[in-house]
Amino acid sequence: MQQFLTNPHSFLNGHSYLDGSFLCFTNETIPMKRVTFYIDGFNFYYGLRTAKQVDRKWYKAYWIDLVKFFSLFLGEEQVLEKVVYFTASPLNKEKSRHQSALLNANKMINGDRFEVVRGKYISKTIQCPRCNYAILRPEEKKTDVNISIRMLADCVRDTTDVVVIVSGDSDLLPPIEFIQHNYPHKQVRAFFPPSIFSRDISNNIKAHKGKVTMLEKNYNKFLVAQMPHCVTDGNNTYTMPEKWRETS
C-alpha cells in the first residue's frame, strides 16, 4: 500500500483506476475512431443534378474535394480513414471526361485517402408494351455489389470503426443489417445526397441509435470544399468542366 500511496502508477503497472466519483488516471490515450465514407457515385451525382434543376446554385457542389468535404463532418475523436467512390464510366464521352477530371483531381490532391472502385455501364433496351417502340438506356451495373462487398470486407479486416454510406439506395439495406448484426461494435451512419432519401435506411439507422445526415442541409460545406478551377501537380492538370462553371 505504501508503494501505491507514493507512486500509484507503478502500483497498477502504469495505471491507476479509482471507482465512483474519484478521478481516473491512465497513461493510455483514447484511440481515434476511424471513419470510412462509401459513396454511391451514381446516386450522389444524380442527387446533385436533381437539386441543381430546382436551384442552379448546386452547380457549385459538383467540383469539390471529396475528402475535404466529408472531413468537415468528423467529430473530435474521429479520423478519416478513406473516401471510397463507387461508379462506372458513362457511355457518353463528354460526361465521361467530366467524371474523369473530377476523380483524377481528387486522387491528385488526396492520394491514398481517396479511392475509386469502378463497375460498368451497359445499354439496356426498354420497350413500350403498347407500341413496341424501343429505346436504349444506359444502366450502371455492379455498384451496389461493390459497395456491399467493400463495407463487409473493411469490417472483417478491421480497417474501419465507423461505416458511412453515402446513398439513398435501399438495396444497400441488407449489408447494413449484416454489419449491425455481426459487427455490433462498428457504427453505421447514413448520408443522403441532396434531393435523395430512403425511409427504409433512415428508419434502420435511427433504430440502431445511429445518425442520418441530409447533405442538402449542408450547402455551405460544399462551398468550403470547392477545388480551384485547375488542379495540377506540375506534371498533370485537371480542369473544371466549362459547363460546371456557370455559377461558380
Side-chain angles (χ1 to χ4, degrees):
M1 181 57 69
Q2 181 63 33
Q3 181 185 9
F4 174 73
L5 294 174
T6 57
N7 189 357
H9 288 279
S10 65
F11 183 79
L12 291 177
N13 193 25
H15 306 278
S16 176
Y17 299 95
L18 297 176
D19 295 332
S21 60
F22 292 93
L23 186 64
C24 171
F25 300 97
T26 178
N27 289 333
E28 296 180 359
T29 57
I30 300 174
M32 300 285 279
K33 293 286 187 181
R34 300 162 297 170
V35 184
T36 304
F37 291 85
Y38 305 84
I39 306 175
D40 180 344
F42 184 85
N43 207 259
F44 189 72
Y45 170 75
Y46 278 96
L48 285 174
R49 194 175 80 163
T50 301
K52 182 262 297 180
Q53 292 171 349
V54 176
D55 189 337
R56 293 184 66 80
K57 73 177 184 179
W58 285 99
Y59 256 125
K60 295 184 178 181
Y62 281 27
W63 187 251
I64 62 170
D65 179 337
L66 291 161
V67 169
K68 182 177 181 179
F69 175 70
F70 288 109
S71 293
L72 296 173
F73 293 92
L74 297 179
E76 292 183 358
E77 296 180 357
Q78 294 179 328
V79 61
L80 189 141
E81 180 69 19
K82 182 170 283 194
V83 172
V84 190
Y85 193 97
F86 298 83
T87 189
S89 297
L91 299 178
N92 180 286
K93 291 184 179 180
E94 182 183 26
K95 291 181 178 180
S96 181
R97 286 196 298 271
H98 293 175
Q99 184 197 69
S100 294
L102 172 67
L103 300 182
N104 287 331
N106 268 274
K107 185 64 177 176
M108 178 180 288
I109 292 172
N110 297 299
D112 291 340
R113 293 201 299 166
F114 181 75
E115 180 181 348
V116 179
V117 177
R118 294 189 180 274
K120 63 179 181 178
Y121 271 104
I122 62 171
S123 294
K124 185 176 181 179
T125 301
I126 307 296
Q127 190 167 17
C128 175
R130 294 185 178 180
C131 66
N132 290 325
Y133 181 76
I135 61 170
L136 289 177
R137 187 181 72 179
E139 185 175 278
E140 194 176 26
K141 305 294 288 185
K142 291 187 178 181
T143 294
D144 293 351
V145 174
N146 286 339
I147 294 174
S148 300
I149 292 174
R150 180 56 177 271
M151 290 194 303
L152 296 176
D154 286 351
C155 289
V156 170
R157 296 179 299 193
D158 191 28
T159 57
T160 192
D161 301 302
V162 183
V163 171
V164 183
I165 179 68
V166 186
S167 178
D169 187 348
S170 58
D171 287 345
L172 294 169
L173 189 57
I176 289 174
E177 293 174 332
F178 184 91
I179 292 170
Q180 291 166 335
H181 179 74
N182 292 279
Y183 298 91
H185 57 290
K186 303 292 185 184
Q187 300 174 19
V188 183
R189 304 285 185 262
F191 280 33
F192 293 124
S195 71
I196 300 290
F197 181 73
S198 167
R199 188 172 301 279
D200 290 340
I201 292 178
S202 178
N203 288 343
N204 169 278
I205 297 297
K206 291 178 179 178
H208 288 81
K209 300 181 180 180
K211 290 184 179 180
V212 171
T213 299
M214 306 296 294
L215 293 182
E216 195 163 359
K217 297 180 179 180
N218 290 273
Y219 178 71
N220 287 338
K221 285 186 172 66
F222 282 95
L223 297 184
V224 171
Q226 279 188 303
M227 295 186 291
H229 283 188
C230 290
V231 177
T232 183
D233 63 358
N235 296 315
N236 297 295
T237 300
Y238 302 105
T239 305
M240 181 181 185
E242 194 69 35
K243 291 181 88 173
W244 296 359
R245 301 185 191 185
E246 294 189 18
T247 59
S248 298

